[in-house]
Amino acid sequence: IGFMFGAGGSALVAKTLGEKNREKANKIFSLIIVTALVLGFALSTVGNLLIKNIAFLLGARGELLRLSTVYGRILLISMPFFMLQNIFQSFFVTAEKPKLGLAVTLAAGVTNIVLDAVFVGVLRWGLAGAGAATAISQLVGGMIPLVYFLAPNPTVLRLRKFRFDAKALLR
């Protein structure tokens, strides 16, 4: 969903910017981000309710079922922010800030690497620690751009108030 909204949404927003309608472009951008967050939290909630059954249906039993459920639940908590991270990568290009997009990706990756070492290597949290490191890195990858686009910034895109526009979402 993050890739889909990012690719399609950035194309639509870029087209709208090309038509010199910056206000409409920002409203579409905002609609896409908020919709993705709502869907992300809904899917995260449903996923957390079903993860054990899904793992069981995929063949996990015993310790594998327990560990995959723990890991899956941790990652599902951060899924909305992982979706945002994917969406914002496309929108950083549309906002003419691809280097900032790269910096956010690197920050998220380094966060994961460092926290893996701390949580798994030093604190010995095992698979839960690896999941927590990944979840926190996804928070970094989703929250930094969210804050950037909410605050005054030197790009053409900013998050603003919008009205629901099903036609824009379908496009």
Side-chain angles (χ1 to χ4, degrees):
I1 292 172
F3 286 120
M4 178 180 67
F5 278 150
S10 63
L12 180 59
V13 168
K15 176 185 175 289
T16 307
L17 286 170
E19 295 167 347
K20 307 292 186 215
N21 196 340
R22 186 173 178 176
E23 184 176 330
K24 183 178 179 183
N26 279 300
K27 287 179 180 182
I28 294 169
F29 169 61
S30 301
L31 169 68
I32 291 166
I33 299 304
V34 171
T35 301
L37 266 175
V38 170
L39 282 173
F41 281 113
L43 291 171
S44 176
T45 301
V46 170
N48 263 296
L49 294 172
L50 299 176
I51 189 68
K52 187 172 185 178
N53 292 331
I54 292 169
F56 184 84
L57 288 172
L58 291 172
R61 303 289 187 274
E63 185 69 1
L64 179 60
L65 178 62
R66 185 184 74 75
L67 290 173
S68 60
T69 301
V70 167
Y71 190 76
R73 285 194 171 133
I74 292 168
L75 291 187
L76 282 165
I77 290 168
S78 65
M79 184 174 59
F81 300 98
F82 183 58
M83 289 170 57
L84 283 182
Q85 181 179 358
N86 289 305
I87 292 168
F88 283 129
Q89 286 310 307
S90 295
F91 278 112
F92 273 128
V93 174
T94 304
E96 300 175 347
K97 294 289 183 182
K99 289 180 183 176
L100 184 54
L102 175 61
V104 169
T105 299
L106 290 173
V110 169
T111 298
N112 197 357
I113 292 166
V114 170
L115 292 180
D116 269 337
V118 172
F119 293 167
V120 178
V122 176
L123 298 176
R124 305 278 186 227
W125 289 356
L127 190 65
T134 299
I136 292 168
S137 75
Q138 292 171 347
L139 285 169
V140 167
M143 288 300 294
I144 290 173
L146 187 62
V147 170
Y148 177 80
F149 285 112
L150 278 169
N153 66 63
T155 69
V156 294
L157 293 180
R158 291 228 17 235
L159 290 167
R160 305 197 185 286
K161 288 184 180 180
F162 64 92
R163 289 196 177 115
F164 185 77
D165 182 352
K167 185 178 175 182
L169 280 178
L170 290 173
R171 289 179 73 199

